[in-house]
Amino acid sequence: MEALQKEQIELCPGDFVLPVSFLLSMSLLGLEFPFAYILVFIILYFSWTINKYDFLLQSTLLFGVYGFYDENLTFPFKLHDLLFIVYFAGFFIYWKDKNIRRLLIPVSIYILFLFFVAMLSDEFLMIQARRLRLYMHILYFLFPLLVFRKQDFDIKLFFNKLFIYVLIISCFYIIDSLVVSNHIFVPRTTWGDLTYSTLEVNLLGDFIRKYPPGMYFIALLLFPMLYLFRTSAKYILIMALGLVCTKTFSVIGGVLITTFCFYGTWKKKIIYLIIGFVMLVAGYVLDGQMNGALRVQHLVGQFTSFASYRSVEDAMSDMENLAEFGSDRGAQIIPKIELLTSTQKLMFGFGFLHDDLTTNDKYIIQNEFYSDQSAAEEVAALVEVTQVQTILDTGLVGFVIQHLFYIAIYFLIRKYKYSNWYLVTLVCISIFGIGGFAGLNLPHGLLLLGLSLGGILLANKDMLNPMPSVHESQDRII
């Protein structure tokens, strides 16, 4: 259902000062300017004292990286590991609150299950912990509770501030991709060291692809845009263009599919499908004129390549074609699933293997499907599709339990006001995960999902009543 009345989003120039300052300092951090270390934390301190909504979003960006800096080089440890101190403190502080305890109990059971799977593996637990911990960041919902523990939380003010950050990041993507054709404002959307020249500009040069981690925050913004706020067309255009600059269809598709699922009547959905089909055809034609710069023909080609097969069985039997599917993601998956089944580990997985630290020969494979055979020898640890990654780590049982757990969280909060913010975010980041982005086993996705869950609890802090009154239920945004 749509909200009965939407408010106009209001942007004041003064509201941009802290967001722009922080995001530019993050850009400098990624470009390896030494004074950026001081600048980032100075701005964080001012945000803590001036506006905790800014502090909460800035902290999430800093902990989650989101393409602004290299987490392996910039700090001596992963900053998101500091959050486990927060989780430990928050767990004991909020255990006495029966409403929060209703969430902490299933979260604890889920984490115990992850350790149970790890104990079934013959890999050392200390090595598995390096990746197991990544699954645990749903506990991030405790962080906003602690930040606003002694302060009122206005969720609409938070959404307004979130909109500003997404708008600025979208502008950064547009400038990097279309104006300077380089990685400057969001400098670490590519992997590796700074081998590219970051200080040369190429005005209106190549339409470069910028990988999408900075744009993940749009998953948090979908709910308020669909249900709470009227948004100017120019702002929607800026965010849409920022998404286009990612040239990443799992992320663009995640936004579109989530919007399609949660917004509008079936009559409107049919209209959206028609518009989407027309845009796909137009994009295909335009991509041909741009020599594939938009990657639309590449996407369509991956699906049409299966059209020549007489049956699904024929298509599935062509391993070479499957390996190329999903921009060669199939090549990552096929031999690892084969090893999973041949070693009878399909039910509970390999455990949380590490691509560098695991040395057990039984998990070392020679991947014949890679076009670059110099990288063919690898540990059967990692694939980009996060759903398949969950199966490799925890098996089919773990895959089912993971999804039942996150659905159960929704049912525990479904009667709270704004509860669908969690559900919309969950669906969106899960679709992102199909392409290896965000998902339910990486901090990129779980920090956002935890932030939405914490925000819902804060918005209901004055009541947290599982059975709203008649008047409250009429006001509830679903």
Side-chain angles (χ1 to χ4, degrees):
M1 291 180 59
E2 298 178 34
L4 296 178
Q5 185 175 1
K6 290 185 177 182
E7 299 178 13
Q8 183 66 43
I9 194 79
E10 295 182 2
L11 303 180
C12 301
D15 293 335
F16 282 80
V17 174
L18 281 173
V20 170
S21 300
F22 180 79
L23 290 171
L24 286 176
S25 70
M26 289 283 283
S27 301
L28 293 174
L29 191 65
L31 293 172
E32 300 181 358
F33 283 80
F35 70 89
Y37 286 91
I38 300 173
L39 189 60
V40 163
F41 288 101
I42 287 176
I43 297 172
L44 265 177
Y45 172 77
F46 275 109
S47 297
W48 171 260
T49 58
I50 296 172
N51 191 316
K52 284 190 171 57
Y53 299 102
D54 278 299
F55 176 82
L56 184 55
L57 287 166
Q58 290 168 11
S59 298
T60 305
L61 281 160
L62 186 62
F63 287 129
V65 185
Y66 297 104
F68 279 94
Y69 64 90
D70 189 326
E71 64 178 347
N72 295 314
L73 298 175
T74 306
F75 296 99
F77 51 84
K78 305 285 179 66
L79 287 186
H80 60 73
D81 285 337
L82 292 177
L83 288 169
F84 285 95
I85 300 173
V86 175
Y87 301 156
F88 185 80
F91 188 94
F92 287 99
I93 290 173
Y94 284 102
W95 183 257
K96 298 177 182 179
D97 187 317
K98 65 177 182 179
N99 296 292
I100 307 300
R101 188 165 63 243
R102 292 173 66 238
L103 292 173
L104 290 174
I105 290 173
V107 170
S108 301
I109 294 172
Y110 176 62
I111 292 174
L112 287 174
F113 169 76
L114 296 177
F115 276 98
F116 168 73
V117 170
M119 296 299 292
L120 294 177
S121 175
D122 49 10
E123 179 59 280
F124 293 112
L125 185 59
M126 289 301 295
I127 291 178
Q128 293 188 73
R130 298 287 292 273
R131 289 193 49 253
L132 186 154
R133 77 195 200 282
L134 304 181
Y135 281 75
M136 298 166 60
H137 282 292
I138 186 60
L139 283 166
Y140 191 66
F141 79 88
L142 293 167
F143 185 71
L145 295 182
L146 292 170
V147 171
F148 283 88
R149 190 180 180 206
K150 297 182 179 180
Q151 182 175 329
D152 291 335
F153 180 83
D154 187 328
I155 196 167
K156 292 186 178 180
L157 288 179
F158 175 81
F159 286 144
N160 196 82
K161 188 64 71 171
L162 173 66
F163 185 89
I164 291 172
Y165 279 85
V166 175
L167 197 62
I168 296 168
I169 293 172
S170 300
C171 290
F172 281 7
Y173 266 72
I174 294 167
I175 295 170
D176 272 1
S177 181
L178 296 175
V179 179
V180 300
S181 299
N182 218 320
H183 303 282
I184 296 177
F185 286 92
V186 189
R188 295 294 186 163
T189 54
T190 56
W191 289 272
D193 57 17
L194 290 169
T195 54
Y196 45 82
S197 174
T198 57
L199 297 180
E200 292 181 5
V201 295
N202 185 16
L203 293 176
L204 301 178
D206 297 330
F207 175 22
I208 68 169
R209 181 186 184 186
K210 287 191 66 65
Y211 280 83
M215 295 300 298
Y216 296 164
F217 274 75
I218 205 167
L220 283 176
L221 198 59
L222 288 179
F223 172 79
M225 289 182 64
L226 293 177
Y227 295 113
L228 301 179
F229 295 110
R230 296 192 306 274
T231 309
S232 171
K234 63 182 179 183
Y235 297 138
I236 294 176
L237 180 61
I238 290 172
M239 290 184 285
L241 190 53
L243 279 172
V244 169
C245 291
T246 69
K247 299 185 185 180
T248 304
F249 291 105
S250 56
V251 172
I252 297 171
V255 172
L256 294 177
I257 292 170
T258 305
T259 301
F260 177 81
C261 290
F262 287 95
Y263 187 69
T265 62
W266 280 107
K267 182 178 179 180
K268 286 185 177 181
K269 292 180 191 296
I270 293 172
I271 295 173
Y272 297 153
L273 285 175
I274 295 173
I275 293 173
F277 178 76
V278 171
M279 291 179 66
L280 179 63
V281 172
Y284 187 91
V285 173
L286 181 60
D287 194 32
Q289 300 296 319
M290 298 176 65
N291 298 318
L294 297 176
R295 302 182 74 242
V296 177
Q297 292 189 349
H298 172 73
L299 172 70
V300 174
Q302 292 186 76
F303 288 95
T304 56
S305 65
F306 288 94
S308 60
Y309 295 101
R310 294 182 179 180
S311 66
V312 175
E313 290 76 12
D314 290 341
M316 295 299 290
S317 65
D318 188 345
M319 289 298 183
E320 184 176 346
N321 197 27
L322 283 174
E324 295 176 355
F325 189 75
S327 299
D328 293 329
R329 287 177 176 85
Q332 302 172 5
I333 294 171
I334 293 171
K336 293 161 190 174
I337 292 295
E338 288 178 343
L339 181 64
L340 193 69
T341 55
S342 66
T343 54
Q344 290 80 49
K345 293 182 179 293
L346 186 59
M347 297 309 293
F348 287 99
F350 296 132
F352 304 91
L353 304 181
H354 194 279
D355 54 322
D356 291 325
L357 300 179
T358 294
T359 58
N360 191 327
D361 289 341
K362 69 187 294 184
Y363 298 122
I364 308 296
I365 61 172
Q366 193 73 24
N367 195 327
E368 62 183 284
F369 297 104
Y370 285 155
S371 55
D372 180 10
Q373 281 297 297
S374 65
E377 184 174 288
E378 62 174 344
V379 179
L382 301 180
V383 294
E384 290 185 48
V385 180
T386 58
Q387 290 82 358
V388 177
Q389 183 67 64
T390 297
I391 294 173
L392 292 179
D393 294 339
T394 65
L396 293 177
V397 172
F399 177 82
V400 172
I401 287 178
Q402 181 190 69
H403 288 77
L404 288 177
F405 163 69
Y406 285 106
I407 293 170
I409 292 294
Y410 171 70
F411 278 99
L412 287 174
I413 65 167
R414 72 189 186 281
K415 294 183 179 180
Y416 294 159
K417 197 173 182 181
Y418 309 111
S419 61
N420 264 23
W421 183 25
Y422 169 88
L423 187 60
V424 171
T425 307
L426 174 64
V427 170
C428 194
I429 65 170
S430 297
I431 298 174
F432 289 176
I434 295 173
F437 304 98
L440 297 176
N441 51 17
L442 294 171
H444 278 146
L446 290 178
L447 293 186
L448 300 182
L449 190 62
L451 183 57
S452 69
L453 180 57
I456 292 165
L457 296 174
L458 285 172
N460 293 272
K461 186 165 57 172
D462 59 339
M463 42 91 73
L464 284 177
N465 186 354
M467 294 296 293
S469 68
V470 174
H471 297 294
E472 288 170 338
S473 62
Q474 290 175 347
D475 294 335
R476 179 173 165 268
I477 304 298
I478 67 172

